Amino acid sequence: MTAYILNLLVLISVYAILSTTLNFIIGYAGIFSLAHAVFFGIGGYTAALVAMNVTPEFFVAVPVAMGAAAVTSLLLALPALRVRGEYFVAASLGLQVLAVTLFSEWKSFTGGIGGVIGIPAVELFGYPVYKPWQFLLMSLICLATIIVITRTLVHTSFGRSLKALRDSESAALASGKNITVIKTLSVVLSSSLAAAAGALYAFYMSFINVESFMLDTSVLVMAMVIIGGTATILGPLLGAALLMLIPSALTYLSFLPQTEIGSIQQMVYGMAMVLLMIFRPGGIVSSHPGGSK
Amino acid sequence: MSTQLNIAQETAKPVPGSGFIGSTDDQDVLLEISNLSKNFGGLQAINDVSLNLRAGIITTLVGPNGAGKTTLFNMITGHIPPTEGNVHWQGESVIGKAPWKIARQGIARTFQDLRLFTHMTVEENILTVMEPGSWLWQPGGKSRKARRYDKVSQILERTGLTDKRHTRALDLAYAERKFLSLARIMATDSRLWLLDEPASGLDPNSYNLFLRLLREEVKEGITVCIIEHNLDIVVNISDRIAFLDQGKLLADGEPETILNDPALAAIYFGER
Ligand SMILES: Nc1ncnc2c1ncn2[C@@H]1O[C@H](COP(=O)(O)OP(=O)(O)O)[C@@H](O)[C@H]1O
Ligand SMILES: [Mg+2]
């Protein structure tokens, strides 16, 4: 039972990193990306590659994974600079689909459909971290660090520039904001921090394949952000916890036909989304008028 | 006074087509619009407009709705590329430059629909304009930061928004929003202000505050181009009037001259 709960908590913290970093661009820069799982994947594959061929040291594998995602995220920044709104969503969707194909085909990097197996336990200054509670502690510390980083950024001049261009791009331009640099930087930061989640995930599972990095993951993380509440700190955390707990909660309802759990889960998500958008469009933790802050 | 002299010196090179030599009132052209045109599909929104904005005065752009006034602003600030023609700012062409670069060269503007940073507080709206650094930090460290906050306080005081410092822009009343859009450009160090219908819909008190601000700023050396229907502004505040109709510049001169022209008055008062 504790093993089950620890496992769930680790996964929640990994997804909370994803939702927090996606919220950074959705909530503060107004960039609605459906390609967040791509950088989750790049982080995972890169960390696995480093761990298996160089060293499983956390402070080597994670920075390298983040660097790889930072570089590739420029591919996402490109459409973000040119188009807004639904056009950008479509472009990010294209990138997600493209990445899944690459992840499935590029065998030397990703192991193809079969994935990467036998990823060694992560090491902290040479000490392997393999007990679940140790790993939970480590991922919680990562989550806390990332929350502090994004929270700090949001309250600096950079955060103000982001919000300015989110609220009115033309007025931000007329105020002398170099939108190219600001948007690119926000995408690079968000993507490289998402890669840290990927690295944690790869180390934790010791096996990864493309199925964890597909469109459903991107959609799930976006749902976490929107259901929890964009442009808030707590919202994405709450969203991640909620959407990770729903499936487990459902398995405990013994009257439900267990073979249909998958589709019931989808329906619950769907209903929750629809109801929420009707009654609380700002998300559970709303930053909009009528909400608390 | 010294800034005035500087302006004169900086612009004391002959600007193409400005009629610089020998004419007293043609000096100090800050912005020169030459043969500017803009087509939106089949619609000619601006048709071969040439106009100079002179330093230190208020030029008012008048004309019926749809005359192309806002479009003219959009081309000056780089938000819309012109189909033809050129715009020189202190002798240098701005056509093709990114709007943020033009803004940093000293041209500030407001928008007819304000375009405030709605989910940010009044303070943040003003502060962000004073933070030119695009990266994760601002140059100048703590002392510059303190100065920025001081300047915010001053601007809030002058625009009557002190009590609203921590209110979000979208929670402001109408007049307050208009003052915030002014506050935002007061925070820039721009020499030219392009104001798109800043006085429309203001109650008398707000209107008087607006006039006071405008006069103070012009006295400080700010050059203003203002789009306005308000007759008081047209008659009493403006040093020059440019009259635009259906994309064409029909006249450009002293207020009395323009207003005494029966043909223009007919268009202005909508008696076509
Ligand atoms: N971005 C645009 N695309 C197409 N047509 C436009 C655009 N902006 C303005 N127009 C058209 O150009 C004409 C002039 O508009 P505008 O400059 O806003 O007039 P004014 O500010 O004098 O009322 C109008 O007919 C308007 O519909
Ligand atoms: Mg207009």
Side-chain angles (χ1 to χ4, degrees):
Chain A
M1 187 62 206
T2 32
Y4 177 79
I5 291 177
L6 281 178
N7 176 53
L8 199 57
L9 287 176
V10 169
L11 291 179
I12 288 178
S13 58
V14 166
Y15 274 88
I17 294 176
L18 290 178
S19 60
T20 299
T21 51
L22 182 63
N23 178 47
F24 184 65
I25 50 172
I26 288 188
Y28 298 101
I31 297 173
F32 281 76
S33 169
L34 268 180
H36 212 49
V38 174
F39 305 103
F40 184 42
I42 289 172
Y45 287 125
T46 310
L49 200 71
V50 172
M52 295 171 79
N53 296 301
V54 188
T55 167
E57 174 61 43
F58 178 91
F59 288 103
V60 176
V62 173
V64 172
M66 290 173 69
V71 172
T72 39
S73 70
L74 294 172
L75 287 176
L76 185 68
L78 224 56
L81 293 172
R82 300 201 64 87
V83 292
R84 280 177 70 82
E86 61 271 37
Y87 300 104
F88 174 75
V89 173
S92 69
L93 185 64
L95 189 67
Q96 172 69 59
V97 172
L98 188 74
V100 167
T101 313
L102 272 176
F103 289 165
S104 319
E105 301 295 329
W106 190 1
K107 295 206 169 57
S108 55
F109 179 48
T110 67
I113 298 282
V116 185
I117 45 177
I119 303 166
V122 64
E123 290 179 5
L124 271 178
F125 305 110
Y127 295 98
V129 178
Y130 49 83
K131 291 206 178 92
W133 70 266
Q134 292 173 330
F135 203 93
L136 176 61
L137 195 65
M138 191 173 85
S139 50
L140 284 177
I141 292 172
C142 288
L143 173 62
T145 310
I146 285 168
I147 290 172
V148 169
I149 292 174
T150 51
R151 202 190 139 77
T152 308
L153 281 177
V154 164
H155 288 94
T156 59
S157 62
F158 182 72
R160 281 188 285 276
S161 294
L162 276 187
K163 290 184 278 182
L165 73 90
R166 169 199 68 188
D167 286 355
S168 172
E169 193 163 313
S170 53
L173 278 169
S175 308
K177 299 286 176 199
N178 184 345
I179 285 190
T180 311
V181 169
I182 295 164
K183 270 193 180 172
T184 305
L185 204 52
S186 70
V187 168
V188 167
L189 281 167
S190 161
S191 307
S192 56
L193 292 173
L200 282 175
Y201 184 75
F203 282 125
Y204 180 68
M205 304 300 282
S206 83
F207 156 75
I208 49 170
N209 73 1
V210 65
E211 287 190 12
S212 309
F213 312 125
M214 302 208 292
L215 180 62
D216 358 354
T217 305
S218 283
V219 172
L220 178 66
V221 176
M222 183 177 274
M224 289 168 174
V225 174
I226 293 175
I227 287 176
T230 56
T232 64
I233 301 295
L234 219 55
L237 302 181
L238 209 68
L242 209 64
L243 291 197
M244 294 302 284
L245 287 172
I246 286 177
S248 343
L250 288 178
T251 46
Y252 275 93
L253 299 177
S254 49
F255 58 86
L256 294 175
Q258 294 300 308
T259 47
E260 304 297 333
I261 282 290
S263 21
I264 293 175
Q265 186 183 315
Q266 296 299 324
M267 285 166 67
V268 171
Y269 283 164
M271 285 297 284
M273 275 283 235
V274 172
L275 290 176
L276 198 77
M277 289 307 112
I278 294 173
F279 293 108
R280 215 172 155 77
I284 298 171
V285 185
S286 177
S287 67
H288 297 298
S292 51
K293 168 110 204 301
Chain B
M1 190 61 210
S2 67
T3 52
Q4 293 284 342
L5 282 174
N6 279 336
I7 292 169
Q9 273 165 7
E10 275 176 43
T11 52
K13 44 188 150 158
V15 180
S18 65
F20 179 77
I21 302 156
S23 149
T24 46
D25 64 353
D26 274 1
Q27 288 173 8
D28 302 348
V29 171
L30 263 192
L31 188 94
E32 185 190 27
I33 300 167
S34 15
N35 307 104
L36 207 61
S37 294
K38 179 70 197 180
N39 298 346
F40 291 116
L43 175 85
Q44 184 135 33
I46 290 290
N47 187 352
D48 197 25
V49 167
S50 297
L51 175 70
N52 291 340
L53 298 183
R54 293 172 178 79
I57 66 165
I58 298 179
T59 305
T60 302
L61 209 52
V62 297
N65 270 332
K69 305 180 295 293
T70 300
T71 303
L72 197 58
F73 274 12
N74 284 336
M75 287 192 282
I76 296 171
T77 56
H79 283 81
I80 288 180
T83 311
E84 255 177 272
N86 215 329
V87 176
H88 286 89
W89 167 243
Q90 297 179 305
E92 196 185 316
S93 174
V94 298
I95 298 301
K97 282 190 183 162
W100 65 268
K101 283 190 181 154
I102 297 175
R104 286 187 189 193
Q105 289 183 345
I107 303 181
R109 72 173 293 185
T110 65
F111 293 88
Q112 197 171 348
D113 54 358
L114 302 185
R115 304 194 190 173
L116 301 174
F117 305 131
T118 45
H119 292 272
M120 296 164 74
T121 64
V122 167
E123 175 182 89
E124 286 179 307
N125 265 271
I126 302 172
L127 207 49
T128 192
V129 170
M130 286 188 261
E131 296 168 327
S134 312
W135 301 93
L136 301 178
W137 61 90
Q138 295 297 321
K142 280 224 164 65
S143 66
R144 278 254 207 118
K145 188 174 173 183
R147 257 185 286 156
R148 282 197 293 271
Y149 277 89
D150 284 349
K151 192 166 171 191
V152 170
S153 304
Q154 277 172 27
I155 292 173
L156 291 176
E157 196 65 46
R158 293 181 61 202
T159 50
L161 290 171
T162 304
D163 293 345
K164 304 288 177 181
R165 188 169 191 137
H166 300 294
T167 306
R168 281 180 313 176
L170 63 91
D171 296 326
L172 295 175
Y174 179 76
E176 292 165 347
R177 289 183 200 190
K178 296 213 103 160
F179 280 110
L180 180 53
S181 83
L182 278 176
R184 222 168 40 179
I185 64 168
M186 286 165 75
T188 67
D189 290 320
S190 304
R191 285 178 67 186
L192 175 64
W193 287 9
L194 307 176
L195 307 178
D196 201 342
E197 306 199 12
S200 69
L202 288 184
D203 57 275
N205 279 338
S206 305
Y207 179 69
N208 286 331
L209 175 58
F210 166 69
L211 284 192
R212 197 167 78 222
L213 279 175
L214 198 62
R215 289 199 169 112
E216 284 167 6
E217 293 292 339
V218 172
K219 207 183 254 173
E220 292 293 313
I222 301 286
T223 300
V224 179
C225 180
I226 179 168
I227 295 174
E228 200 46 76
H229 297 295
N230 182 320
L231 196 59
D232 181 62
I233 291 204
V234 175
V235 178
N236 297 324
I237 310 300
S238 317
D239 299 300
R240 273 192 95 79
I241 291 185
F243 199 110
L244 214 58
D245 185 36
Q246 296 181 16
K248 282 207 167 98
L249 185 69
L250 296 189
D252 164 29
E254 313 268 313
E256 305 85 66
T257 326
I258 305 285
L259 290 166
N260 290 335
D261 184 326
L264 294 177
I267 298 174
Y268 181 78
F269 293 108
E271 301 163 7
R272 20 160 120 244

